[in-house]
Amino acid sequence: MSELTQSFDLSCLMPSGSENIVKLGHGSGGRMTTRLIENIFLPVLGNDILNELEDAALINIAGANIAMTTDSYVVSPIFFPGGDIGSLAVHGTINDLSMRGARPLCLSAAFIMEEGLPIADLEKIVKSFQQACLNSGTKLITADTKVVNKGAADKLFITTTGIGIVEKFPAPSVKRAQAGDCVLISGDIGRHGIAIMASREGLDLETTIESDSYPLHNLVWSILNDSNEEGYEKIHCLRDITRGGLAGVLNEIANASNVGIEIREDSIPIHQEVKAVCEILGLDPLYVACEGRLVSVVTANMAEEIVSIMSKHEAASGCMMIGRVVADHPGRVVLRSKIGGNRIVDLLSGEQLPRIC
Amino acid sequence: MSELTQSFDLSCLMPSGSENIVKLGHGSGGRMTTRLIENIFLPVLGNDILNELEDAALINIAGANIAMTTDSYVVSPIFFPGGDIGSLAVHGTINDLSMRGARPLCLSAAFIMEEGLPIADLEKIVKSFQQACLNSGTKLITADTKVVNKGAADKLFITTTGIGIVEKFPAPSVKRAQAGDCVLISGDIGRHGIAIMASREGLDLETTIESDSYPLHNLVWSILNDSNEEGYEKIHCLRDITRGGLAGVLNEIANASNVGIEIREDSIPIHQEVKAVCEILGLDPLYVACEGRLVSVVTANMAEEIVSIMSKHEAASGCMMIGRVVADHPGRVVLRSKIGGNRIVDLLSGEQLPRIC
């Protein structure tokens, strides 16, 4: 063994028994997350509703069609350009409800605070949480607070659960994409992930990029209700882009609907600064998280009208048609590059950017 | 300054600016928790439903009377005699729904995992979570998993949100206690807290005490439905005993209903070993947490029947009438001691046992 390899301990790259512990990559939203859910959670907890793996579960309770969704927010840092963990925790939950066509009604929130969290920070975040509730027409109806000793959490984690009501069917679903459908995106990708990265300690990235964190319920309402009368059932999938990025969402749709998806690289909107930071950090923007963008898959004859409806919303002023659903290569997402080649856009195995939401 | 005081740094007792950070005591369920909620959360987030501060919120959605509750579980250690964080996270949520007379229907769960958590531990906890769901007639319908870097959480936190349906009114409420009512308890107190303490590293307590963690939905169903026909509305309050202990629950009822409560020390069931450990550790068992016990406040003419109904349940075989609601000293809980004296049972200010649930 040379001096060099001796001084560089390779065991950190492949620790013994590393398959038997939870790793950061398991939280990526990529293939490791999928494997953890498929191997550990679903075989034990699985049932007809949970197995759907949609953004929100649908359940009929005493005649009411309820949508329910939950997410823990562990973003670091808790304040970032364009938002904080409080507004993010509301927007993320509102968006998950909206993606099933549900009208968000009410939220619960559980705050896990680390001993030593400045009260002033907590106050700011609570205010931001409430402002986001007001902006989304929802309210917090039940909550919990826990405190753990210093070092047992990182400042603040918030778990938000949302309840909404579904008034029309069929609800948009990750399983409803069909060959021939058009794939639309509501705006440029990757701002949230890059804003978080840029605000992390030790990274001195000169960028003015702010998170795209935004509640999409009004945009979705328009997509579902402002088109012509027979439009509703032609909106097949809605999925907000979060961890795993655009690539993650498209792969989920391709897999769940058992279809192929083809997208054109030159049609994907990416802000110049996001591109630049991705190049510096060696990130692929297709995998960088958003928190205020959605993909919609609609029948081809609706695509133009839906783009026109979307573009009236500030949150979707940069909407684009980026590709097509195809019968070929089911389960695969293929990118046609600017220079004409094709490449498969797979799920990442592990983590590109940890603790992004 | 003497050698002695020099070597004992008093600044840890009263750090400068200590009022401006979150402290462990803020998670106690005692007066510091109440102050944090009243000063920081409610002035910003408060609304007609949240302000109720009940175990579960009630909301009518499209004609369905829904109960919703949320709790983060941060118990340490994650495995303890009589349970683990998985079963606890289900039981706690089932119990909060049950205390409003709601029939538990479905759950969401969000898992925050620390990098390095053994997969085998996660598997055990997921199985225990599912077994608790089966025992409670509920199912997990939506979930989330997050992974944080090593040192940014302590092994595993679970946030469970529950949805139930309320089929009869008036729902039991912490505000409905009336002078003349009887105060019943379903069993002996403090087992959960002592089981957790005994399993903490470094404490070598020889005890066979197991947590009382248990889903109380069937017990509550019997209390509400098995009594004579006019019984339902005479069940005024149901409250499960968690952090803050029996003293916490009784103070909440006394405050919210603006009544006095008088309990007799010799009527409060406490296991001999719980008593012994409390003496060793200097704990007052009135403040030690349970996770499978409830207090019910019922009209005096119902008390005997309800004790008889409760005692048919394994979970309440040790049920007792422990005291009365009185018009005197509203907001105060008074204990009549074995030797005849009275003492006020106040909320503790801070933390007796951190991270108990």
Side-chain angles (χ1 to χ4, degrees):
Chain A
M1 192 182 278
S2 75
E3 282 294 311
L4 188 66
T5 53
Q6 270 185 332
S7 68
F8 187 71
D9 182 2
L10 291 170
S11 69
C12 67
L13 295 177
M14 192 59 73
S16 80
S18 69
E19 285 310 306
N20 300 322
I21 58 170
V22 172
K23 290 181 264 189
L24 268 184
H26 284 121
S28 63
R31 202 176 301 121
M32 284 178 71
T33 305
T34 307
R35 274 210 303 263
L36 186 77
I37 291 169
E38 285 178 356
N39 296 340
I40 307 296
F41 286 89
L42 290 187
V44 178
L45 293 164
N47 55 59
D48 52 339
I49 303 180
L50 186 67
N51 293 354
E52 300 278 332
L53 298 180
E54 298 270 8
D55 279 337
L58 302 190
I59 186 168
N60 186 293
I61 298 181
N65 289 305
I66 303 283
M68 182 183 196
T69 187
T70 197
D71 268 299
S72 283
Y73 295 87
V74 298
V75 64
S76 170
I78 55 176
F79 297 98
F80 49 81
D84 60 49
I85 193 172
S87 52
L88 186 68
V90 176
H91 296 163
T93 298
I94 294 300
N95 291 348
D96 280 343
L97 291 174
S98 301
M99 296 309 131
R100 303 306 309 281
R103 187 159 52 86
L105 291 179
C106 57
L107 302 177
S108 70
F111 295 78
I112 299 176
M113 297 170 274
E114 184 191 14
E115 184 186 14
L117 175 72
I119 294 280
D121 286 355
L122 182 61
E123 279 181 318
K124 268 191 233 167
I125 286 161
V126 166
K127 282 179 187 156
S128 158
F129 189 101
Q130 173 67 357
Q131 190 55 53
C133 284
L134 293 173
N135 294 346
S136 325
T138 55
K139 60 183 174 183
L140 183 74
I141 64 166
T142 185
D144 180 47
T145 57
K146 291 278 157 49
V147 181
V148 297
N149 37 309
K150 201 159 179 66
D154 187 7
K155 295 185 184 70
L156 178 63
F157 302 145
I158 304 177
T159 302
T160 318
T161 305
I163 299 285
I165 186 152
V166 180
E167 283 154 342
K168 281 203 223 174
F169 285 89
S173 159
V174 71
K175 292 188 180 65
R176 288 183 54 212
Q178 292 175 13
D181 286 351
C182 290
V183 180
L184 316 179
I185 192 167
S186 66
D188 64 318
I189 59 172
R191 286 181 189 239
H192 178 72
I194 296 306
I196 299 291
M197 286 306 288
S199 60
R200 290 232 170 118
E201 285 175 48
L203 278 179
D204 195 18
L205 297 171
E206 283 191 15
T207 163
T208 58
I209 292 293
E210 296 198 337
S211 168
D212 46 34
S213 176
Y214 198 83
L216 298 174
H217 60 299
N218 284 333
L219 175 62
V220 168
W221 180 261
S222 289
I223 293 173
L224 293 176
N225 294 289
D226 291 355
S227 64
N228 68 64
E229 261 177 53
E230 278 105 60
Y232 189 85
E233 65 174 28
K234 296 176 181 169
I235 314 299
H236 290 161
C237 320
L238 294 173
R239 198 85 165 176
D240 60 332
I241 306 174
T242 58
R243 58 179 172 174
L246 176 60
V249 165
L250 296 177
N251 271 282
E252 285 161 9
I253 294 171
N255 272 308
S257 296
N258 199 31
V259 293
I261 293 180
E262 288 179 5
I263 53 174
R264 293 189 321 277
E265 187 177 22
D266 58 6
S267 69
I268 298 168
I270 311 178
H271 188 282
Q272 203 50 46
E273 284 194 50
V274 170
K275 245 180 223 167
V277 174
C278 282
E279 275 168 26
I280 293 169
L281 298 176
L283 301 173
D284 183 339
L286 288 178
Y287 297 90
V288 178
C290 313
E291 285 289 342
R293 301 289 184 233
L294 62 79
V295 164
S296 71
V297 176
V298 305
T299 57
N301 63 340
M302 292 286 291
E304 208 174 311
E305 188 184 359
I306 297 295
V307 167
S308 152
I309 288 170
M310 285 167 77
S311 59
K312 288 182 188 130
H313 281 261
E314 199 187 344
S317 58
C319 66
M320 295 282 286
M321 182 180 136
I322 60 167
R324 287 274 191 171
V325 179
V326 296
D328 292 345
H329 53 80
R332 287 245 178 249
V333 179
V334 173
L335 179 84
R336 182 158 300 174
S337 78
K338 287 173 193 169
I339 53 168
N342 287 338
R343 76 169 166 103
I344 290 173
V345 179
D346 211 347
L347 279 179
L348 286 190
S349 170
E351 188 66 77
Q352 186 172 248
L353 299 173
R355 295 183 61 194
I356 212 74
C357 60
Chain B
M1 192 184 274
S2 76
E3 283 292 312
L4 187 66
T5 53
Q6 271 185 332
S7 67
F8 186 71
D9 182 2
L10 292 169
S11 69
C12 67
L13 296 177
M14 192 59 73
S16 80
S18 68
E19 285 310 307
N20 300 323
I21 58 169
V22 171
K23 290 181 264 190
L24 268 183
H26 284 121
S28 63
R31 201 176 301 121
M32 283 177 71
T33 305
T34 307
R35 273 210 304 263
L36 186 76
I37 291 169
E38 286 178 355
N39 295 340
I40 307 296
F41 286 89
L42 290 186
V44 178
L45 293 164
N47 56 58
D48 52 338
I49 303 180
L50 186 69
N51 292 354
E52 300 278 332
L53 298 179
E54 299 271 7
D55 279 338
L58 302 189
I59 186 168
N60 186 292
I61 298 181
N65 288 304
I66 304 283
M68 182 183 197
T69 187
T70 196
D71 268 300
S72 283
Y73 295 86
V74 298
V75 64
S76 169
I78 56 176
F79 296 99
F80 48 81
D84 59 50
I85 193 171
S87 52
L88 186 68
V90 176
H91 296 162
T93 298
I94 294 299
N95 291 348
D96 280 343
L97 291 173
S98 301
M99 297 308 132
R100 303 306 308 283
R103 186 159 52 84
L105 292 180
C106 57
L107 302 177
S108 70
F111 295 77
I112 299 175
M113 297 171 275
E114 185 192 15
E115 183 187 14
L117 175 72
I119 294 281
D121 286 356
L122 182 61
E123 280 181 316
K124 267 191 230 167
I125 287 162
V126 166
K127 282 180 187 156
S128 159
F129 189 102
Q130 174 66 358
Q131 190 55 52
C133 284
L134 294 173
N135 294 346
S136 326
T138 55
K139 61 183 173 184
L140 184 72
I141 64 165
T142 185
D144 180 47
T145 57
K146 291 277 156 49
V147 182
V148 297
N149 37 308
K150 202 160 177 67
D154 188 6
K155 295 185 183 70
L156 178 63
F157 302 146
I158 304 177
T159 302
T160 319
T161 305
I163 299 285
I165 186 153
V166 180
E167 284 154 341
K168 280 203 224 176
F169 285 87
S173 159
V174 71
K175 292 188 181 65
R176 289 183 53 211
Q178 292 175 13
D181 286 351
C182 289
V183 180
L184 316 179
I185 192 168
S186 66
D188 65 319
I189 58 173
R191 285 181 191 240
H192 177 72
I194 295 306
I196 298 290
M197 285 306 289
S199 59
R200 290 232 169 118
E201 284 174 49
L203 278 179
D204 193 20
L205 297 171
E206 283 190 15
T207 165
T208 58
I209 292 293
E210 295 198 337
S211 169
D212 46 34
S213 177
Y214 197 83
L216 298 173
H217 59 298
N218 284 333
L219 175 63
V220 168
W221 180 262
S222 290
I223 293 173
L224 293 176
N225 295 289
D226 292 353
S227 64
N228 68 64
E229 263 179 53
E230 277 104 62
Y232 189 84
E233 66 174 28
K234 296 177 181 169
I235 313 298
H236 290 160
C237 320
L238 293 173
R239 197 85 167 175
D240 60 331
I241 306 175
T242 58
R243 61 181 170 172
L246 175 61
V249 164
L250 296 177
N251 271 282
E252 284 161 9
I253 294 171
N255 272 307
S257 297
N258 199 31
V259 293
I261 293 180
E262 288 180 6
I263 53 173
R264 293 188 322 277
E265 186 176 22
D266 58 7
S267 69
I268 298 168
I270 311 178
H271 188 282
Q272 202 51 46
E273 283 193 51
V274 169
K275 246 181 221 166
V277 174
C278 282
E279 275 168 25
I280 293 168
L281 297 177
L283 301 173
D284 182 339
L286 288 179
Y287 296 89
V288 179
C290 313
E291 286 290 342
R293 302 289 184 234
L294 62 79
V295 164
S296 70
V297 176
V298 306
T299 57
N301 64 340
M302 292 285 292
E304 207 174 312
E305 188 185 358
I306 296 296
V307 167
S308 154
I309 288 170
M310 285 168 75
S311 59
K312 287 180 190 134
H313 281 261
E314 199 187 345
S317 59
C319 66
M320 295 282 286
M321 181 179 136
I322 60 167
R324 287 275 190 168
V325 179
V326 296
D328 291 346
H329 53 81
R332 287 244 178 249
V333 178
V334 173
L335 179 85
R336 182 158 298 172
S337 78
K338 287 173 191 164
I339 54 169
N342 288 338
R343 74 168 167 104
I344 290 172
V345 180
D346 212 345
L347 279 179
L348 286 191
S349 170
E351 188 65 79
Q352 187 173 250
L353 299 173
R355 295 184 59 193
I356 213 74
C357 59

